[in-house]
């Protein structure tokens, strides 16, 4: 009760000075479509939050320097050793700082999950065509963030200056150096000298904790700002048009949901950080250019580059007399082409037969067989590259010669994308044409999922695309449903309008079994009609009784009674407690 | 440790329950098989410590050097010495068919003259010899013989002459030095985490998980398989002690401060866990949360 009074008081104080009530009110009734795949981006966002929080903790103890120092601490096998300050402080974080290892491991796990969530999110966007107009800008921002995430992952992995990451850094150095003409200049520019240069770790540190996170934060803000401005796209379904958004309001439905997801991300990353060991640098030892450990792989998100380096045969060649070293193609060109392809895809697709129209409704993946097939083929290629990065581990586990594994993977990398893409294409075609019948179980399951997709959010809130000037919106519980609503019309799609008790007008869309209530109230009937018309075009409109009016009142009365009972009960309990305590005190 | 590949799973479990007994049984089994393979041979050795069953050596395949073979042990080991007789007996039953009765080697196995006690002890105590089946690289198993029998066989093979590295002594050493020596000399093949890695042609540098300090020291001095040998001139006794101590530190999960080690295979398994556990859980959570309450 006191809390509520405080909150109300605070809100009023802030609103008196900043006049934020209209903005907040609009934000709270903002509608987000319901589909689990729309929450993948949130997974990445919350992983980023975990990264920032744990990362701040780590910066308090990490020393970004390769200056020699003597480690003294709980790790016996390193106690008294001369190592770089970066390595010594990382081991100290793991052994001597309270909760340091938990934070380190959570940071690393959430980094892996961050990139994984971004990739899944990207795949969802790609296969549903969410990158089409008007969302190309957000696609470009997203791809940029993926590149930054990879870069920051790599720098974070490298700055502890341990033996494993030093090997990876050495590879990146060589790949950069392999760029024809400018390679030597590039490595000196980026690494600050010949490998291993003293400046490399401090530079990577600044990029890792300052520059890239700042840019990422700005881009995330832009990403979300554009999302809010453009409204979220939605899958086709009953009641969903190019002009509306059907789903849950931000408050309270979506807020609870997204906070729960936040808690899940925290729980999973910290559980992994506490229970599963990751990157035990104390075992790997400090970096020494003369030493190496085997097996050695990078983190998964850059492992495709490592896999490509392993797969491509060593072949130097000359172009116009300039040497092109063999790491150039797999190390630099592949990544460049991949990201160029990602950046250009929306424009390529529009150029090759796409329309230039704005799309608010998503494609189910099958709607675009060529896109699906191409995506699956590229995905298969990169998965083979990822597997190739672990060729030595596969060889060891299976006890087969590593060169045989390599040969098989070489063939797979070239061959597998073709059948994978063709299968994807044909499956999409078949599903599209036959409505899902004719190719066995997969198809039947797909059909089921499609039907489920179509009925997702069959009830919910509607937000019209070009919002009219909203009047004071009444925060009213969502419609109590078709059962209590007045039986009107013949069951075809129609718009129902009614006047609330407080004088505002609201509307809802009704079809056979679907009821979608508009998320705002309007001061006049024409305004409500205009809004409904924007969302649904030419549908018959009829005025009805306010739905669930009595129910709302009853609910209100019950709620009030419950609250009063709670208050009385609480006071009584306090009294009893106080009484018992006093008696106990007296007895002493 | 996994037992031989030929032993069924259930059998392995049942045997493990009975402690050290199966090794004796296996040795007996091998002896019987070898004896049968050798033809109509009397088997008195198992019962009584008679000098050397000469007919066994003579009737073995490739046993052309039988005079030398019988001459060696009988010459150096008097019949009254039961340990020497036991060593010779075990050798002839389990080793001679490939390595030759006098350790001269055959088409099926290398000669043992001059390999040194350290090598023989290493091969026997890690269970790599005798071979259960022909393999390019026999795995680390439980030893087929008791420590006493191994000592006897080692002494017998040593009697073939030729010198070779003696069984080294190991004492507890400095962990820090051990870590440095390990990372500089061993990590490139055995991995910094001691879990082993792949080499060429399907060979592997084995995991050090089951290696005792003495076995580590023997391997360092001997250089079995593809591994280079590190004699005293390269690696001093102090460094060897330190190295053996550090390998003990690597064994088990003493250094896995961060939780489940994931086989210490590095980023590969970490990536698999990130996708297969972390992201899977989060996507399931999203699927659950993404559904409306009224669906």
């Amino acid at each position: 009760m006191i809390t509520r009074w405080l909150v109300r008081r605070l809100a009023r104080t802030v609103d008196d000075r900043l006049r934020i009530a209209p903005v907040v009110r609009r934000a709270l009734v903002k509608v987000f479509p319901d589909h689990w795949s729309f929450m993948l981006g949130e997974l990445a966002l919350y992983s980023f939050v975990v990264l920032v929080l744990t990362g701040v903790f780590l910066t308090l103890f990490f020393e970004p320097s390769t200056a020699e120092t003597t480690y003294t601490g709980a790790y016996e096998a390193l106690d008294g050793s001369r190592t770089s300050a970066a390595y010594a402080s990382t081991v100290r974080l793991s052994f001597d700082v309270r909760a340091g290892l938990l934070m380190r491991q959570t940071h690393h796990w959430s980094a892996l999950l961050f990139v994984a969530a971004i990739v899944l999110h990207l795949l969802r966007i790609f296969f549903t065509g969410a990158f089409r107009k008007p969302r190309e800008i957000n696609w470009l921002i997203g791809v940029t963030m993926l590149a930054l995430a990879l870069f920051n992952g790599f720098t974070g992995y490298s700055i502890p200056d341990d033996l494993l990451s030093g090997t990876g850094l050495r590879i990146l150095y060589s790949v950069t150096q392999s760029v024809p003409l400018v390679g030597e200049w590039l490595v000196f520019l980026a690494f600050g000298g010949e490998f291993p240069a003293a400046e490399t770790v401090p530079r990577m540190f600044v990029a890792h904790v300052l520059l890239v996170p700042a840019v990422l934060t700005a881009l995330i803000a832009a990403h979300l700002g554009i999302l809010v401005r453009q409204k979220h796209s939605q899958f086709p379904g009953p009641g969903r048009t190019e002009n509306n958004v059907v789903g849950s309001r931000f408050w309270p439905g979506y807020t609870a949901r997204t906070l729960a997801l936040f808690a899940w991300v925290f729980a999973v990353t910290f559980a992994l950080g506490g229970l599963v060991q990751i990157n035990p640098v104390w075992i790997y030892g400090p970096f020494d250019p003369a030493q190496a450990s085997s097996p050695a792989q990078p983190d998964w998100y850059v492992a495709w580059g490592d896999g490509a380096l392993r797969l491509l045969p060593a072949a130097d060649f000359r172009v116009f007399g300039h040497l092109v070293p063999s790491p150039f193609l797999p190390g630099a060109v592949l990544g460049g082409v991949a990201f160029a392809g990602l950046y250009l895809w929306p424009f390529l697709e529009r150029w090759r037969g796409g329309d230039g129209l704005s799309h608010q409704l998503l494609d189910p993946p099958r709607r675009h067989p060529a896109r699906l097939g191409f995506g699956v083929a590229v995905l298969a290629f990169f998965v083979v590259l990822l597997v190739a990065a672990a060729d030595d581990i596969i060889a060891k586990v299976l006890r087969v010669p590593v060169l045989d594994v390599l040969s098989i993977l070489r063939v797979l990398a070239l061959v597998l994308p073709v059948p994978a893409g063709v299968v994807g294409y044909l499956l999409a075609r078949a599903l599209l044409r036959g409505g899902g019948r004719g190719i066995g179980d997969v198809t039947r399951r797909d059909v089921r999922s499609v039907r489920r997709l179509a009925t997702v959010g069959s009830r919910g809130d509607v937000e019209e695309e070009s919002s009219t000037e909203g009047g004071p919106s009444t925060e009213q519980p969502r419609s109590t449903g078709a059962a209590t609503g007045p039986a009107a019309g013949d069951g075809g799609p129609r718009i129902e309008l009614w006047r609330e008790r407080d004088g505002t007008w609201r509307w809802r869309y009704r079809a056979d079994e679907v009821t979608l209530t508009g998320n705002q109230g309007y001061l006049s009937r024409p305004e409500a009609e205009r809004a409904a018309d924007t969302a649904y075009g030419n549908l018959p409109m009829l005025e009805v009784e306010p739905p669930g009016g009595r129910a709302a009142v009853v609910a209100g009365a019950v709620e009030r009674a419950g609250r009063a009972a709670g208050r009385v009960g609480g006071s009584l309990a306090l009294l009893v407690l106080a009484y018992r305590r006093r008696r106990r005190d007296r007895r002493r | 440790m996994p037992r031989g590949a030929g032993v069924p799973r259930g059998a392995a479990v049942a045997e493990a329950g009975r402690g050290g007994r199966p090794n004796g049984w296996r040795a007996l089994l091998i002896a019987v098989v070898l004896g049968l393979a050798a033809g109509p041979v009397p088997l008195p050795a198992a019962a009584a410590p008679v000098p050397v069953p000469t007919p066994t050596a003579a009737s073995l395949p490739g046993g052309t050097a039988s005079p030398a073979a019988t001459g060696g042990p009988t010459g150096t080991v008097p019949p009254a010495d039961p340990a020497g007789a036991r060593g010779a007996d075990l050798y002839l039953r389990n080793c001679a068919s490939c390595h030759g009765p006098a350790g001269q080697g055959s088409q099926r196995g290398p000669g043992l003259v001059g390999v040194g006690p350290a090598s023989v002890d290493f091969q026997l105590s890690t269970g790599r010899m005798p071979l259960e089946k022909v393999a390019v690289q026999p795995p680390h198993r439980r030893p087929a013989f008791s420590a006493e029998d191994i000592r006897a066989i080692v002494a017998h093979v040593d009697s073939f002459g030729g010198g070779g590295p003696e069984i080294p002594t190991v004492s507890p050493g400095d962990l820090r030095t051990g870590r440095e020596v390990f990372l500089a000399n061993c990590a490139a093949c055995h991995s910094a985490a001691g879990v082993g890695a792949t080499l060429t042609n399907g060979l592997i540098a084995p995991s050090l998980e089951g290696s005792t300090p003495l076995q580590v020291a023997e391997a360092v001095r001997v250089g079995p398989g593809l591994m280079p040998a590190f004699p005293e001139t390269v690696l001093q006794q102090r460094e060897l002690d330190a190295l053996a101590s550090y390998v003990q530190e690597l064994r088990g999960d003493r250094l896995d401060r961060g939780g489940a080690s994931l086989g210490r295979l590095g980023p590969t398994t970490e990536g698999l866990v990130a996708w297969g556990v972390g992201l899977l859980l989060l996507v399931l959570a999203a699927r659950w949360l993404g559904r409306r309450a009224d669906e």
Side-chain angles (χ1 to χ4, degrees):
Chain A
M1 194 165 162
I2 292 176
T3 330
R4 186 190 288 178
W5 177 80
L6 269 177
V7 168
R8 220 170 250 179
R9 190 67 200 268
L10 189 70
R12 197 159 296 153
T13 311
V14 173
D15 186 46
D16 281 348
R17 284 151 184 82
L18 300 174
R19 277 202 286 161
I20 56 163
V23 182
V24 172
R25 190 175 289 141
R26 290 189 66 129
L28 291 184
V29 297
K30 184 136 192 76
V31 169
F32 288 91
D34 306 305
H35 196 267
W36 65 270
S37 70
F38 299 161
M39 302 178 91
L40 295 174
E42 284 169 53
L43 285 182
L45 174 67
Y46 296 140
S47 306
F48 183 72
V49 174
V50 176
L51 279 172
V52 170
L53 293 180
T54 51
V56 167
F57 180 92
L58 295 179
T59 49
L60 302 179
F61 302 97
F62 179 71
E63 287 173 52
S65 157
T66 45
E68 276 229 328
T69 171
T70 305
Y71 169 83
T72 47
Y75 182 40
E76 206 188 332
L78 195 72
D79 195 23
S81 290
R82 305 273 300 162
T83 68
S84 70
Y87 182 75
S89 60
T90 310
V91 174
R92 201 168 293 130
L93 252 170
S94 311
F95 277 78
D96 304 290
V97 175
R98 190 176 295 269
L101 185 58
L102 173 70
M103 291 296 178
R104 248 199 75 219
Q105 297 200 139
T106 306
H107 192 72
H108 204 137
W109 280 118
S110 47
L112 297 193
L113 288 174
F114 177 53
V115 190
I118 292 180
V119 168
L120 264 193
H121 180 55
L122 181 135
L123 292 178
R124 198 281 290 172
I125 302 283
F126 179 84
F127 285 121
T128 59
F131 52 81
R132 293 172 299 175
K133 193 180 170 187
R135 296 189 171 77
E136 303 99 323
I137 302 174
N138 247 4
W139 169 266
L140 298 181
I141 291 176
V143 173
T144 311
M145 286 199 285
L146 172 64
L148 288 174
L150 296 190
F151 176 75
N152 229 30
F154 189 83
T155 52
Y157 167 81
S158 299
I159 50 177
D161 199 29
D162 60 293
L163 188 54
L164 186 62
S165 72
T167 312
L169 201 59
R170 172 83 193 163
I171 293 173
L172 186 73
Y173 181 89
S174 303
V175 165
T176 315
Q177 209 175 13
S178 74
V179 178
L181 291 176
V182 294
E184 206 63 47
W185 301 92
L186 273 182
V187 289
F188 271 73
L189 191 68
F191 290 81
E194 197 166 337
F195 187 86
E199 275 117 283
T200 311
V201 167
R203 280 186 188 187
M204 286 193 300
F205 178 74
V206 171
H208 182 79
V209 305
L210 183 69
L211 297 178
V212 178
V215 176
L216 269 178
T217 311
L219 288 180
I220 288 173
H223 205 64
L224 293 178
I226 292 174
L227 166 87
V228 168
R229 174 87 187 132
Q230 292 183 332
K231 301 186 196 294
H232 206 292
S233 52
Q234 58 187 347
F235 282 110
R240 296 158 192 223
T241 71
E242 291 280 359
N243 295 323
N244 67 12
V245 185
V246 177
S248 304
R249 286 185 210 170
F250 184 68
W251 182 268
Y254 210 82
T255 310
R257 202 180 284 185
T258 196
L259 286 181
L261 196 67
F262 191 21
W264 268 94
V265 172
F266 252 79
V268 168
T269 49
F270 273 87
L272 282 174
L275 299 174
V276 189
Q277 180 165 279
I278 187 165
N279 202 23
V281 289
W282 58 94
I283 294 178
Y284 298 153
F287 179 63
D288 182 324
Q291 297 175 1
S293 173
S294 171
Q297 276 84 26
D299 277 346
W300 75 266
Y301 45 82
V302 283
W304 51 273
D306 192 29
L309 282 168
R310 290 173 194 226
L311 284 190
L312 228 76
D316 298 347
F317 56 94
R318 287 180 177 275
V319 176
F320 300 119
H322 292 291
L323 180 71
V324 181
S326 51
F328 181 61
L329 283 181
V333 171
L334 176 74
V337 168
F339 270 94
L342 281 174
Y343 272 117
L344 292 178
W345 183 263
F347 313 104
L348 287 177
E349 192 180 296
R350 191 189 308 165
W351 176 54
R352 299 301 304 173
D355 52 27
L357 303 174
S358 268
H359 294 274
Q360 307 297 336
L361 287 180
L362 297 169
D363 282 344
R366 69 180 60 173
R367 275 272 288 281
H368 211 305
R371 187 202 291 147
L372 186 80
F374 183 77
V376 170
V378 172
L379 210 56
F381 178 67
F382 274 90
V383 167
V384 173
L385 292 187
L386 273 182
V387 173
D391 59 353
D392 48 348
I393 289 183
I394 296 171
K396 179 177 176 258
V397 171
L398 300 181
R399 293 300 294 270
V400 286
V402 66
L403 291 179
D404 293 359
V405 177
L406 207 60
S407 306
I408 292 171
L409 286 170
R410 274 178 184 153
V411 174
L412 275 182
L414 290 177
V415 170
L416 188 67
V418 177
V422 169
V423 166
Y425 178 82
L426 291 179
L427 210 62
R429 287 287 299 261
L431 285 170
L432 199 59
R433 196 165 2 128
R437 249 170 254 162
I439 42 173
D441 274 343
V442 181
T443 321
R444 233 174 290 143
R445 206 177 61 220
D446 282 357
V447 172
R448 267 213 301 282
S449 75
V450 166
R451 211 183 301 142
R452 203 162 53 233
L453 203 73
T455 52
V456 160
S458 55
R459 290 174 53 202
D461 297 302
V462 186
E463 184 179 13
E464 63 275 14
E465 179 69 15
S466 57
S467 41
T468 51
E469 279 178 36
S473 156
T474 47
E475 256 300 297
Q476 168 170 322
R478 211 169 58 228
S479 159
T480 42
T484 55
D490 49 0
R494 62 196 179 275
I495 299 292
E496 294 176 349
L497 295 150
W498 68 90
R499 194 162 184 227
E500 292 285 349
R501 259 158 238 286
D502 58 6
T504 56
W505 284 83
R506 292 178 68 92
W507 61 270
R508 68 180 177 190
Y509 166 92
R510 291 202 68 182
D512 306 321
E513 294 170 348
V514 184
T515 305
L516 301 166
T517 311
N519 65 328
Q520 287 197 20
Y522 302 90
L523 283 175
S524 65
R525 181 174 166 158
E527 275 178 56
E529 282 177 352
R530 201 157 55 229
D533 199 49
T534 309
Y536 284 107
N538 300 315
L539 284 184
M541 292 195 195
L542 45 134
E543 193 177 331
V544 295
E545 289 291 309
R550 291 186 77 88
V553 170
V554 170
V558 167
E559 202 183 340
R560 266 199 299 278
R563 225 178 276 148
R567 239 174 272 153
V568 172
S571 316
L572 274 178
L574 278 175
L575 269 176
V576 169
L577 263 179
Y579 177 69
R580 287 185 59 175
R581 203 166 280 175
R582 172 172 286 184
R583 278 193 57 175
R584 202 176 52 198
D585 289 349
R586 207 178 287 160
R587 232 181 283 151
R588 268 187 203 154
Chain B
M1 277 314 293
R3 313 291 305 273
V7 182
R9 223 166 213 285
V13 172
E15 281 177 7
R18 270 182 280 143
R21 290 292 303 145
N23 286 325
W25 282 109
R26 182 178 296 169
L28 199 68
L29 190 76
I30 293 170
V32 168
V33 169
L34 278 176
L36 288 176
V41 179
L43 289 168
V50 286
V52 175
T54 319
T56 314
S59 61
L60 273 170
T64 44
S66 51
T70 48
T74 42
T76 52
V77 184
D81 180 4
R86 174 108 180 116
D89 178 41
L90 286 169
Y91 178 82
L92 287 174
R93 285 155 177 257
N94 300 295
C95 320
S97 60
C98 298
H99 294 294
Q104 76 277 30
S106 76
Q107 285 170 327
R108 295 201 278 162
L112 298 181
V113 177
V115 294
S119 178
V120 181
D121 188 52
F122 175 80
Q123 297 289 350
L124 291 173
S125 70
T126 57
R128 292 188 161 89
M129 290 288 155
L131 282 180
E132 197 167 66
K133 53 174 185 172
V134 177
V136 181
Q137 195 181 12
H140 190 142
R141 291 180 292 141
R142 273 166 64 177
F145 306 111
S146 68
E148 204 178 322
D149 286 351
I150 290 176
R151 263 198 302 278
I153 300 175
V154 167
H156 180 68
V157 174
D158 197 31
S159 70
F160 299 154
E166 290 295 324
I167 295 178
T169 54
V170 242
S171 41
D174 176 35
L175 278 182
R176 178 159 64 88
T177 314
R179 187 184 55 75
E180 281 159 8
V181 171
F182 184 84
L183 288 175
N185 299 293
C186 318
C189 296
H190 288 287
S191 115
V195 297
T198 190
L199 302 172
T200 51
N201 292 328
L203 298 173
I204 59 164
S207 163
L208 303 178
E209 178 59 38
S211 306
T212 64
L214 184 62
Q215 288 165 356
V216 171
E218 284 168 350
V220 166
R221 291 300 189 217
V222 169
L226 287 187
M227 181 170 158
F230 297 80
E232 182 87 32
T233 48
V234 177
L235 209 66
Q236 295 161 11
Q237 181 63 37
R238 186 182 57 83
E239 293 170 312
L240 183 64
D241 290 343
L243 176 65
S245 297
Y246 182 67
V247 172
Q248 293 313 296
E249 187 77 2
L250 275 179
R251 287 175 64 185
D253 53 3
R254 246 165 304 173
L255 285 188
D256 293 330
R257 252 179 84 84
S261 70
L262 305 179
R264 289 201 198 146
L265 284 175
T268 303
T269 39
E270 290 161 7
L272 284 175
V273 169
W275 276 89
V277 178
L279 199 69
L280 182 72
L281 274 176
L282 291 179
V283 168
L284 288 178
R287 283 203 75 129
W288 178 51
L289 292 167
R291 197 175 301 157
R292 292 179 61 100
D294 50 6
E295 260 175 56

